Amino acid sequence: MSAQQVLFDIPGPKARIRHAVYTVLTLVGFFVVLAIIYLGFNRSLGEGAPPLFSAEAWAVNPNGQWAAVRWQPFIDPATWTDYVIPGLLNTLTAALWAAVLALVFGLVFGIARLSDHAWIRIPAGAVVEFFRGIPLLMLIFFAMALPLAVNQVRPLLGLPPLQPGTFQVSALAAVVIGLTLYNGSVLAEVFRAGINAVPKGQSEAAYSLGMNKVQVMWWILIPQAVRSMMPAIVAQLVILLKDTALGYIIAFPELLRSFSLIGTRYGNVIPAALICAVIYIAINISLSRLAIWLEKRNARSSKGGTKGTALPTTAASGTFGAPGSTT
Amino acid sequence: MEAFFTNIDKVIDGFSWTVRLALFSALFSFILGVILTAMRVSPIGLLRGVSTVYVETVRNSPLTLVLLFCGLGLNSALGLSLADSVAWDVFWWAVIGLSAYTACFVSETLRSGINTIPVGQAEAARSLGLTFTQILRLIIIPQALRTVIGPLGSVLIALIKNTTVASVAGLGVQEASRQMKLMFDQGIAPVLPTFVGFAIGFLVLTLPVGYFFSWLSKRMAVVR
Amino acid sequence: MRIRRTSAALAGASALALTLASCGTAEVGGGGNGGDSGNGDTITIGVKYDQPGLGLLEGNKPVGFDVDVATYIAGELGYSPDQIEWTEAASANRETFLQQGTVDMIVATYSITDERKNVVDFAGPYYIAQQDIIVSADNTDIQGPEDLEGKVLCSASGSRSANNIVDSEENGGLGIGAELREAGNYSECMELLANGTVDAVTTDNTILAGFAAQNPDAYRMVNNPFGEEKYGVGLPKGSTEMCEKVNEAITKMWEEGKALEFLEAAFGETGFEYATEQPPLEGCA
């Protein structure tokens, strides 16, 4: 139901006054919070600070976070060409690699979990459940330590340790491996749910036309599943993009790491973090909008079609199409 | 596995922080999520706006940045301290950051639950003369909650895994993944068994939650 | 039939993953045998990107004392500056980079320790830094490590400096009861210090001098150095021959007065009294 119009009556005179009061209170609260943040970052709160209602407290403090010198680097085009754009490109590179690999991983394991053969179904299920259940950060740490692990295992098998340079995991690879395994397992569940949700009649009709299992899967089930799960898939890709920020921890030079380096060079850690957040939010909101648009288009074109399926329409918010998808 | 068990005290210490982070954040994010949802459907336009902007902003920021803002911004720059000892101070700020982030997902989930409730429910409630808060509290939220138990379980699992980010991002809570990284770096334990040990630790936390919530959602399903 | 498809797809995916894992190897000279002559090869050197004065990314290339030293050594090995490929070596990944062969050499405030000698080789040292403490300018009561009892000390992820103070004496520390607050790196530490969230930051005096120079009025170096950090040139395990050459280059760098030039360029304006003598070489294993 569309909540707003149904949950309350059209306000009468008393209710209108009450609402006006609440509105004013909310505004006051909002501005108080803003003021605290402004003053706090301006270093005009707490001990030794000028009195709250003096002009001094509100003037930009040259030692505070709002000092022009802390923001000036962002006017310099070199900051953008040297740090931000390379960082953004690395973020997008990692996200793109991981997105492609995760989709492949998800499709393979999603289908494998629906296999008629237990020896495929059960291991595939175990793999998916394993990678869905452990934190992405641990996967990245582990991927980074893989060469070390190999060299620790080889002597046990009676093999000599590897020569340096023969096997290495770059920071990019570690991030991509982690993101692929985690998001791939989530996508596997999305695909499985999507395939399960295609009405039985579809595959029955296809079999009766003489198609075999592979043909039914490839020509009938997957196209419909992908279309109906599109919002959930895009939502998961938004999460994947956001998670590339964890590369910061292993010094992968992505967007957040670039801003961290800007913060180091100019001593403006907090302004850099704020601008970084704005960029992430802009990218992610546009992607979420894409997800919503896709879903709307889907809903329009499939009117009266696959009605009554168990598809999670909750993906309107762009997030809960898939279980465990909110890193 | 030997090295893993000789360092078992570090492992247990790490997971004790993980569990505490998850428990407190789950509690606070649920409360904040319900409040945000109530604001989102309230008759007051400004409250709806505040809730929408908050959810859209925080949901679309990387968790790392949210926690960085709590650690370097609110805790450090604003000088807001929540406990006397450093370990507990950063712990509570991590809880606040995780709750602020997770509440967005709780709110989005609840809102989608509300969307599944037939319009007649609210209309009937209004015709009985219930006020907005009564309708929410007695009619809408209880039903919405029952329909989204499964997705809420997913949010909780994601939260448990997200506690690992609190080890970085200007806070440095010494939780399980941090302990694992330390053991890797200092070479005091072989990589493979250590990883498997910690992975099992996380699976012990996440898998039962998943099964419990899917069992609960089946049990509590609203038959229509 | 479906099984075959599945496994084919799997094979494809793993092939992709492998290609990806080996990304970046192509341009790296092989382990410890690169560097005989400048025959158009390149040399990959790991330096810090986030330490003012030592190795700081300014625009698209790093600058600082370590970078100058690395450039000089590479020059002696026959590589011109434009044959050097710079890579960021963070504290947490230096050993991994050398073991994997991601870099040929690491010049990144890399202290020679017995623990590290187990996994990598060191040439040098080319400089001996000491550990020091930095506090905010208005703090007067911290004059040395013993004054840190009960104070909050910032520790950067992957660095052992703070542990040198709080670890018990049998673990090689000073056994001083300070509380640790962990940050991602030293610039986050400096931010915490500027805000008064931590009372002090401790690490090598070279690193502290670089940060202090960014905002000289806000901080005070305690100037009560202790311990020693022998900065070495990290090389892959088993590169004795290379090590000898690097050692020759280091000695020449000090004899020609280049080392002092580099130190002056990095720290001249900071008031930091850097060491002016070449530290004794340790010899190659």
Side-chain angles (χ1 to χ4, degrees), chain A residues 1 6-7 9 22-23 41 130 132-133 138 141-142 152 182 242 281 284-285 317 319-320 323-324 326-327, chain B residues 44 59-61 78 101 105 108-109 115 117 119 126 135 154-155 158 161-162 181 190-191 195 202 206:
Chain A
M1 72 188 193
V6 189
L7 284 175
D9 299 307
Y22 288 147
T23 303
F41 281 175
F130 180 77
R132 238 160 44 108
M138 276 183 55
F141 284 156
F142 178 67
Q152 284 167 355
Y182 174 64
K242 220 165 56 168
I281 291 167
N284 288 326
I285 286 187
S317 56
T319 318
F320 286 102
T326 48
T327 311
Chain B
I44 300 168
R59 194 165 65 96
N60 284 303
S61 317
L78 263 62
Y101 181 78
F105 296 95
E108 291 285 82
T109 312
N115 284 335
I117 299 172
V119 180
R126 267 167 62 207
I135 296 175
S154 304
V155 175
K161 292 187 288 185
N162 281 342
K181 183 76 168 62
V191 171
F195 173 72
F202 272 101
T206 53

Side-chain angles (χ1 to χ4, degrees), chain B residues 1 6 9 12 24 28 102-103 146 148 171 179-180 188:
Chain B
M1 280 318 265
T6 51
D9 51 329
I12 290 173
F24 284 107
F28 293 141
T102 313
R146 284 175 67 171
V148 296
L171 290 164
Q179 299 293 347
M180 183 184 88
I188 52 178

Side-chain angles (χ1 to χ4, degrees), chain B residues 25 28 66-67 70 74 82 91-101:
Chain B
S25 307
F28 293 141
V66 175
L67 288 171
C70 286
L74 299 179
L82 295 172
F91 169 79
W92 287 115
W93 278 109
V95 167
I96 288 179
L98 284 166
S99 306
Y101 181 78

